[in-house]
Amino acid sequence: MAAAATDAWWQSGVIYQIYPRSFQDSNGDGIGDLRGITQRLDYLKWLGVDAIWISPIFPSPMADFGYDISDYTGIDPIFGTLSDFDALLEAAHARDLKIILDFVPNHTSDRHPWFQESRKSRDNPMRDWYIWRDPAPGGGPPNNWLSEFGGGAWTLDERTGQYYYHAFLEEQPDLNWRNPAVIAAMDDALRFWFDRGVDGMRIDALHHSIKDAQFRDNPPNPDWKPGMKPHLKVRRAHTVDQPEMRSLVMGWRKVADEYEGRVLIGEINLPIPRLMRYYGPQLDGLQLPFNFGLMNTRWGAATIGDLIARYEAALPEGAWPNWVIGNHDISRVATRLGPEGARLAAMLILTLRGTPTLYYGDELGMTDVPIAPDQVQDPFEKRVPGIGAGRDPERTPMRWDATPSAGFTTGTPWLPIGDGVAGCNVETERDDPTSMLSLHRALLKLHRKRTALAVGAYERVPATEDCLAFIRRHDRERLLVAMNFSPAPVALTLPAEFANGRVLLSTTMDRGGNASETLALHAREGVVLAPAR
Ligand code: GLC
């Protein structure tokens, strides 16, 4: 692979996702807010991340907790005001922290004035801003498209006798991205935030934005079984990843490039080869199409090693990789992999080639919090109960200290704090040299100090079946990362250049010293090794 420029902040830096309802409440209403985030910037600086991505903070009826936007250029009063936002941005920039916001182009809220206009009549000038269709010839929805949140994707609007399309909730009507007026209005929304100084946008569900022009039925999915998410009953051949997507993405990139150093990140849940197209033919698309491989791949040395190889091989020349370990839509990493697995995952994502995105609270080892039926907030769980679709468990409040509300709020938290706060919170863990938080801090420090980790080349080296080992190299700097995925100890023969190497960091946080010709790894231990001096 040809060497590409690697000096952008979004290449060498680490991104940290904040789910704003759950990070820090400053006014006692039990819901996190912007002032709360500002109060915690020193923590993030201390932790050692470089950029913060904040899930939507815009005015919203909160049917999907902010992913249903009724005004793209404001702040929801739950989170604060525009001046609170400006203050947050200024305070972040003063600490050399970047701010990334969430751009939701696929759909608005049904309360957005655009949709309110659009639904008034068939000849309303804004009718064509959304996707309206007549009923099927025999009545009923125009085709078989399904909502990601269960049920059909078409809702009949009685007043005008037509159906509108919504890939998610019926409160989230999809915009018609074939309409140039929509493109122009949303470009202006992007500029509004870039003009204020926002450093980048994470673009929500972007592969959904364009649908088949002929509205053909999606083919059935023969692999669907009861217990799987209901929208997977069909293959999304005509509803996601349409070829026209590419020019849309390049258009957004042009807007971002009107400014200095802004980044576009895309939420795109597609297999690797299709994901790659979103970099754009001339790398003129997204800088970082999110790579969810680590969240979708069975955890093991062989499967993860193979994932890395396939991803690296598929990257277009000059494209920059990235890795995601958790987010607000998937069970937390410590629940998926267990405490030791989560430590290994932390080392992996902070030593692989590519920009890491971390999810708030994962640095503490927070696990999913069980949600009683009467506490359910997530509309997905409400519509499709009982198959584990709900996302509340991974969205519970950040744990700052050992008090009952974990230092998150003085009021009643919007989701429960959960058990085990005493051992899993910032205050307790920061004083424990072997805690998950201390491990994250040490990994982030290493990532910052060692250029080889931030931007160096990746080279896999042979290891035992249960181990993954690779070298990261930049100029004369080189580091070896060795990870044992098995529940038994192993001895790894080291490449000659790392014989007698120095242990810089172990996931157990309790060893240093030197290896010999071999490196003894404990069960589920990962180690970063420097060559012997
Ligand atoms: C994305 C978001 C998710 C949201 C959905 C609809 O997948 O990550 O939280 O519910 O889009 O906007």
Side-chain angles (χ1 to χ4, degrees):
M1 170 114 4
T6 51
D7 49 7
W9 63 266
W10 48 266
Q11 295 178 301
S12 57
V14 177
I15 301 171
Y16 181 97
Q17 180 190 354
I18 287 179
Y19 194 68
R21 294 181 73 84
S22 295
F23 199 59
Q24 177 66 61
D25 176 19
S26 74
N27 63 0
D29 66 357
I31 299 174
D33 47 44
L34 294 177
R35 287 185 182 203
I37 297 175
T38 307
Q39 287 166 17
R40 295 298 188 181
L41 289 176
D42 285 332
Y43 165 75
L44 296 170
K45 194 67 196 167
W46 170 87
L47 179 62
V49 298
D50 301 277
I52 306 158
W53 150 36
I54 311 174
S55 285
I57 50 178
F58 318 106
S60 163
M62 303 286 166
D64 190 20
F65 295 109
Y67 283 97
D68 49 321
I69 296 173
S70 55
D71 173 5
Y72 284 90
T73 56
I75 299 290
D76 194 281
I78 285 184
F79 298 121
T81 63
L82 258 181
S83 56
D84 290 334
F85 177 75
D86 289 338
L88 164 60
L89 193 63
E90 199 184 322
H93 284 170
R95 289 164 178 78
D96 205 17
L97 291 167
K98 308 285 187 192
I99 299 280
I100 299 167
L101 292 184
D102 214 313
F103 182 57
V104 185
N106 180 64
H107 45 267
T108 68
S109 160
D110 61 346
R111 313 276 178 80
H112 195 296
W114 299 342
F115 189 71
Q116 295 292 320
E117 272 304 304
S118 184
R119 78 188 314 175
K120 277 186 183 157
S121 66
R122 290 190 183 210
D123 56 6
N124 186 280
M126 297 194 92
R127 187 67 167 179
D128 199 31
W129 281 49
Y130 292 84
I131 299 171
W132 292 99
R133 302 291 287 171
D134 286 332
N143 64 22
N144 74 347
W145 294 355
L146 297 177
S147 157
E148 302 269 316
F149 288 155
W154 294 97
T155 290
L156 181 66
D157 197 45
E158 303 281 351
R159 186 156 30 155
T160 58
Q162 282 191 311
Y163 283 85
Y164 66 89
Y165 175 73
H166 48 90
F168 296 91
L169 299 174
E170 64 184 72
E171 293 92 339
Q172 294 170 298
D174 280 38
L175 282 164
N176 174 16
W177 278 91
R178 295 178 187 275
N179 181 346
V182 168
I183 298 183
M186 293 294 274
D187 281 356
D188 284 346
L190 280 176
R191 289 191 188 99
F192 177 88
W193 296 106
F194 286 144
D195 282 338
R196 288 194 111 76
V198 165
D199 301 286
M201 285 287 181
R202 174 267 191 188
I203 307 179
D204 183 68
L206 83 90
H207 52 311
H208 282 272
S209 305
I210 299 255
K211 352 289 165 188
D212 180 38
Q214 299 166 51
F215 294 90
R216 283 169 289 183
D217 273 355
N218 274 329
N221 173 10
D223 300 330
W224 187 86
K225 289 185 195 60
M228 284 169 67
K229 292 178 181 162
H231 73 276
L232 300 175
K233 281 182 185 156
V234 293
R235 295 223 156 105
R236 304 178 299 175
H238 300 303
T239 41
V240 303
D241 194 30
Q242 301 300 295
E244 298 93 326
M245 266 315 305
R246 252 69 78 189
S247 68
L248 214 59
V249 168
M250 282 148 63
W252 293 327
R253 175 63 180 273
K254 281 207 185 82
V255 175
D257 283 352
E258 292 167 13
Y259 303 81
E260 272 293 305
R262 311 301 159 101
V263 69
L264 292 183
I265 307 172
E267 186 211 20
I268 307 161
N269 228 326
L270 291 175
I272 289 172
R274 289 164 73 187
L275 182 63
M276 293 301 162
R277 301 194 204 133
Y278 288 80
Y279 281 106
Q282 311 293 328
L283 299 188
D284 46 1
L286 305 174
Q287 289 104 322
L288 302 175
F290 262 151
N291 165 16
F292 294 146
L294 291 177
M295 307 193 302
N296 299 334
T297 306
R298 201 168 50 77
W299 190 241
T303 46
I304 297 292
D306 174 62
L307 164 71
I308 300 166
R310 284 186 293 115
Y311 180 70
E312 283 277 350
L315 277 173
E317 191 165 321
W320 185 248
N322 78 89
W323 298 93
V324 182
I325 197 68
N327 66 31
H328 61 295
D329 294 326
I330 179 174
S331 172
R332 281 192 180 271
V333 61
T335 296
R336 295 189 330 256
L337 304 178
E340 290 160 322
R343 282 178 178 250
L344 218 46
M347 178 169 280
L348 182 64
I349 192 169
L350 287 163
T351 57
L352 275 177
R353 193 176 86 94
T355 307
T357 300
L358 309 176
Y359 184 52
Y360 85 95
D362 281 352
E363 77 272 27
L364 306 173
M366 276 176 66
T367 49
D368 290 353
V369 173
I371 306 292
D374 64 340
Q375 290 176 320
V376 169
Q377 301 277 346
D378 184 13
F380 198 176
E381 177 69 25
K382 288 182 179 168
R383 291 167 62 112
V384 187
I387 61 160
R391 301 165 295 174
D392 295 328
E394 61 263 22
R395 296 177 175 179
T396 60
M398 177 70 175
R399 297 167 167 203
W400 298 102
D401 60 37
T403 59
S405 58
F408 164 69
T409 181
T410 53
T412 308
W414 77 288
L415 280 174
I417 302 286
D419 296 334
V421 183
C424 175
N425 69 73
V426 172
E427 210 174 80
T428 306
E429 290 191 39
R430 74 196 303 165
D431 296 332
D432 171 0
T434 66
S435 70
M436 185 69 156
L437 181 58
S438 297
L439 171 64
H440 273 84
R441 211 169 156 239
L443 281 164
L444 284 159
K445 192 167 164 201
L446 210 57
H447 190 273
R448 210 165 41 247
K449 259 181 47 188
R450 301 287 186 144
T451 316
L453 284 186
V455 300
Y458 166 90
E459 177 192 324
R460 188 164 177 192
V461 295
T464 60
E465 206 185 316
D466 288 327
C467 288
L468 176 67
F470 53 88
I471 297 175
R472 300 293 314 281
R473 237 183 255 281
H474 182 78
D475 292 337
R476 293 182 53 212
E477 188 178 52
R478 56 194 194 274
L479 296 170
L480 178 95
V481 181
M483 300 202 266
N484 176 13
F485 285 70
S486 88
V490 295
L492 211 71
T493 310
L494 290 169
E497 57 182 317
F498 285 94
N500 308 312
R502 263 181 314 130
V503 175
L504 293 184
L505 188 60
S506 154
T507 50
T508 60
M509 297 294 284
D510 62 359
R511 68 188 265 192
N514 284 70
S516 61
E517 252 132 65
T518 59
L519 171 69
L521 287 170
H522 302 301
R524 299 200 181 93
E525 185 191 20
V527 158
V528 181
L529 210 68
R533 266 200 278 255

